[in-house]
Amino acid sequence: QVQLVESGGGLVQPGGSLTLSCSASGNIRLIATMGWYAQAPGKQRELVATITRAGIEKYAESVKGRFTISRDNAKGMAYLQMNSLKPEDTAIYYCHATVYADYVQGYWGQGTQVTVSS
């Protein structure tokens, strides 16, 4: 079994910054792509950013230039540095990882709330 645990969410004013962390543990042989997704109230979960094991990054247009995804392969960690936050960034942020163990499977974390408000 594999567990993903997010941390770092909270309340921040518009223009502020937050860094989210995702820690993977369990029966892991290799973690391929890791990513962050956001689900705002009443909306579907949407891609925010992904990063391959080799470090190739992909971003949603709405966060380009403001958010940065990174990872530490040795530690099984992924991060999302969020700058210049806007009220529309308010959502539950979920970590996702494609994990190679006995077979390939995608896993989700439980989510962490990010609220951008004055």
Side-chain angles (χ1 to χ4, degrees):
Q1 189 68 326
V2 174
Q3 296 81 38
L4 299 179
V5 178
E6 302 100 332
S7 61
L11 173 64
V12 63
Q13 293 187 340
S17 298
L18 279 176
T19 300
L20 306 183
S21 298
C22 173
S23 174
S25 63
N27 181 25
I28 298 171
R29 192 151 48 89
L30 180 146
I31 303 175
T33 299
M34 300 186 78
W36 291 94
Y37 293 74
Q39 187 165 18
K43 294 187 177 182
Q44 290 187 336
R45 194 173 298 186
E46 297 180 338
L47 180 147
V48 175
T50 61
I51 184 167
T52 68
R53 185 170 181 82
I56 299 171
E57 302 165 28
K58 176 182 175 182
Y59 296 93
E61 284 296 325
S62 60
V63 306
K64 280 183 179 178
R66 299 189 298 123
F67 291 9
T68 302
I69 189 170
S70 61
R71 64 187 287 173
D72 184 328
N73 290 333
K75 295 182 179 179
M77 298 285 296
Y79 308 93
L80 186 68
Q81 174 67 45
M82 304 186 293
N83 298 327
S84 302
L85 282 160
K86 305 175 181 180
E88 51 263 43
D89 295 321
T90 295
I92 299 175
Y93 284 73
Y94 296 90
C95 177
H96 181 272
T98 301
V99 176
Y100 287 72
D102 296 328
Y103 42 84
V104 180
Q105 185 169 340
Y107 292 89
W108 292 96
Q110 82 288 349
T112 185
Q113 176 71 48
V114 172
T115 302
V116 185
S117 174
S118 55

